[in-house]
Amino acid sequence: MTETYGAKRHYQRQEIAAAYDDARFRGLRGRFVNLLERRLLMRAIAGLPHGAFVLDLPTGTGRMARWLTEAGYRVVGTDISLPMLGRARALSTQAALVRGEGERLPFADKSVDAAVCFRLLSHLPREARIAVLREMARVARDRVVAVYQPHRVAVWWLVYGLLLRKPVPRYYVSAADLEQEFAESGLRPVRSHALLRGLFMERAYVLAPSRR
């Protein structure tokens, strides 16, 4: 069993869920990030047939789930936090919503076409990341989309942390370790897309699950 890391506790709080979207996606900067992340999601799922079944993990307030349903996909959103799922319902997310833990997803093998994971992996220690990736590889037939933050030596963190005074992610994975992490999880890299090229920001890795 994986450890109870900070993200599991933090997002269980009602006040955190209520303020989540406003704290991150309000104002000019927030709208710009929203635009970039939506574009990144659409690039990562390009080629997935209309009507395909997509798992959004963690679904949070349902932001990604809404984009996916608007694009014509069937969606199930999963989150460990009941307050976050409550916000997703309140914001009229059309996706099915299921409470679940990423390390032990409540779905059968190969039961979705794709599993998408944004804004989570930088919160997880290595053991938990591997467990989540393995579970996504288990339930996905076509692809897994896993978004990673840049390594700690990236120039971006100097801008983000020192100039913008924003908290930086707790966990990083170097480029050299990514291949090993994917292999241990039963995933094969197919392609990747940067949130914004040239600034060493987060990158979405499109991964093919093992056929075993």
Side-chain angles (χ1 to χ4, degrees), residues 36-49:
L36 290 177
E37 289 195 337
R38 184 167 188 164
R39 185 183 68 170
L40 183 62
L41 174 64
M42 293 301 116
R43 291 175 71 191
I45 63 170
L48 201 62

Side-chain angles (χ1 to χ4, degrees), residues 7-21:
K8 282 189 178 181
R9 298 185 299 272
H10 183 71
Y11 293 101
Q12 301 292 344
R13 295 161 55 189
Q14 188 67 49
E15 65 271 23
I16 297 296
Y20 184 87
D21 286 327

Side-chain angles (χ1 to χ4, degrees), residues 137-148:
R138 178 182 67 80
V139 303
R141 289 185 289 265
D142 182 85
R143 75 187 69 176
V144 166
V145 177
V147 175
Y148 280 75

Side-chain angles (χ1 to χ4, degrees), residues 2 5 57 102-105 117 120-121 124-138 144 146 148 173 177-187:
T2 54
Y5 41 85
L57 169 74
E103 295 98 321
R104 291 180 295 275
L105 289 171
C117 183
L120 175 65
L121 296 175
L124 308 186
R126 188 177 191 279
E127 178 190 357
R129 284 198 310 272
I130 296 295
V132 169
L133 289 170
R134 282 176 176 165
E135 279 292 273
M136 289 195 294
R138 178 182 67 80
V144 166
Y148 280 75
V173 184
D177 291 335
L178 275 175
E179 185 175 347
Q180 179 65 28
E181 193 154 299
F182 295 150
E184 286 185 35
S185 305
L187 293 163

Side-chain angles (χ1 to χ4, degrees), residues 68-79:
L68 288 164
T69 55
E70 288 169 9
Y73 297 105
R74 295 176 297 127
V75 183
V76 57
T78 301
D79 205 291

Side-chain angles (χ1 to χ4, degrees), residues 19-86:
Y20 184 87
D21 286 327
D22 280 350
R24 290 160 179 79
F25 309 115
R26 192 176 180 179
L28 182 60
R29 178 188 171 276
R31 291 194 297 272
F32 184 56
V33 170
N34 222 27
L35 176 67
L36 290 177
E37 289 195 337
R38 184 167 188 164
R39 185 183 68 170
L40 183 62
L41 174 64
M42 293 301 116
R43 291 175 71 191
I45 63 170
L48 201 62
H50 186 273
F53 194 23
V54 181
L55 167 64
D56 176 30
L57 169 74
T59 200
T61 61
R63 192 171 55 106
M64 299 279 172
R66 289 190 291 276
W67 295 342
L68 288 164
T69 55
E70 288 169 9
Y73 297 105
R74 295 176 297 127
V75 183
V76 57
T78 301
D79 205 291
I80 195 172
S81 167
L82 283 175
M84 294 294 267
L85 290 172

